[in-house]
Amino acid sequence: MMDRRYIPYAIAAVVVLILLANTFFVVDQREQAIVVRLGDPVRVVNAGAEATAGLKVKVPFMEQVLRFDKRNLALATEEEEIIAADQERLVVDAFIRYRIDEPLQYYRTLRDDRTARDRIQRLVNSALREVLGSAPSSEIISGSRSGVMQRTLQDVRARAESSRLGIEVIDVRIRRADLPQANQAAVYRRMETSRQQEAAQVRAIGEQQKREIIAAADKEVTITLATAQEEADRTRGEGDAQRTRIYAQSFGRDPGFASFYRSMQAYEASIGQGDATMVLSPDSQFFRYFERGPGAR
């Protein structure tokens, strides 16, 4: 049991501790704080500078300290269905990175972090509907959507500034942009049909080019054969003319040779194949050169 003489001292010590706990407070370098008196902000303790961090004093029991993170914060928005410029429905979710750069304005407008997250999320969704609604779905879904994201970031910054939220918007990014589940099958079928039509068109063009190439080749072959035949006929005609000329010259010089040559041609035409049957008298003039020479009459 404590001696009753020490009870007043113990009570005084507890009162002093309670008083000190409600008088002094510590602000970390990663924080910024607002001192509120009966609900009204009276001063801001910005711990961004090293000199403002550390132990601080407030009026006990009348003043309260509200702390806000000075680091960059991230907030992921809920899925939002938007209608693109080509009337295609898309399910989009995004995230925003921001920091509280005016804690006093942040407190006056938003009061607490829960309200702030709800307000910022609605602001981002509104900007997404505005910006993405003016862009085609192909641009939103594709990987090359930096222009869309830049316009979205500028729109969110402008909305946050006009709403005086006390935050600095650092970045806005789309995490996912996809078709609603109910529309995916229809879109895939449409894409498949489009690709099949493109393939059929390419095949038709290839078939037409093949026919043109074959026709050109056939034409070239026909021209080449005709030219060769013409050259052969001309050469053959020149040879026949030269042969006739030589024969004519030979016949004029020796009539006996001419008669002999005509007989040889007759022999070749009649019995040259070896399967001809001829019924002739043994003393027929047809075989006169078999018995006599070229000079026979």
Side-chain angles (χ1 to χ4, degrees), residues 14-38:
V14 171
V15 171
V16 169
L17 289 176
I18 295 175
L19 183 62
L20 291 176
N22 283 274
T23 301
F24 297 99
F25 65 95
V26 177
V27 178
D28 191 89
Q29 292 184 353
R30 295 166 298 180
E31 297 177 332
Q32 47 194 344
I34 297 177
V35 179
V36 180
R37 180 179 300 169
L38 302 178

Side-chain angles (χ1 to χ4, degrees), residues 108-270:
R108 287 174 175 171
T109 305
L110 303 172
R111 288 293 174 176
D112 54 44
D113 290 339
R114 181 177 179 180
T115 304
R117 286 194 295 269
D118 181 70
R119 182 75 176 274
I120 293 172
Q121 180 169 280
R122 287 190 285 110
L123 184 146
V124 172
N125 288 340
S126 178
L128 286 174
R129 285 194 300 271
E130 180 71 23
V131 176
L132 301 186
S134 61
S137 58
S138 57
E139 184 178 356
I140 300 172
I141 296 175
S142 67
S144 57
R145 55 184 176 214
S146 57
V148 174
M149 295 315 307
Q150 187 62 31
R151 295 197 300 272
T152 304
L153 175 60
Q154 293 174 356
D155 190 278
V156 172
R157 282 176 175 172
R159 291 172 185 266
E161 184 177 354
S162 63
S163 301
R164 298 183 59 80
L165 300 182
I167 65 173
E168 177 188 358
V169 179
I170 300 173
D171 196 10
V172 178
R173 293 287 174 179
I174 292 178
R175 294 194 301 176
R176 184 176 69 93
D178 206 350
L179 298 168
Q181 191 66 32
N183 295 359
Q184 288 184 4
V187 172
Y188 290 154
R189 285 195 299 270
R190 187 165 67 248
M191 293 174 62
E192 183 180 9
T193 302
S194 176
R195 294 299 179 270
Q196 290 175 349
Q197 291 175 350
E198 292 180 3
Q201 183 178 4
V202 171
R203 283 195 296 267
I205 294 175
E207 186 66 25
Q208 177 65 25
Q209 291 177 346
K210 183 187 77 172
R211 288 196 295 267
E212 292 176 356
I213 292 172
I214 292 175
D218 290 343
K219 180 180 179 181
E220 185 68 23
V221 169
T222 302
I223 294 174
T224 302
L225 291 176
T227 303
Q229 185 65 36
E230 181 182 0
E231 184 69 22
D233 292 342
R234 184 171 60 252
T235 303
R236 189 179 298 108
E238 292 175 355
D240 291 344
Q242 186 173 2
R243 182 188 64 179
T244 302
R245 185 172 60 254
I246 293 173
Y247 287 162
Q249 292 174 355
S250 300
F251 294 161
R253 292 179 181 177
D254 187 353
F257 174 77
S259 177
F260 174 77
Y261 180 75
R262 285 195 296 271
S263 297
M264 292 300 104
Q265 286 182 323
Y267 294 156
E268 182 181 7
S270 59

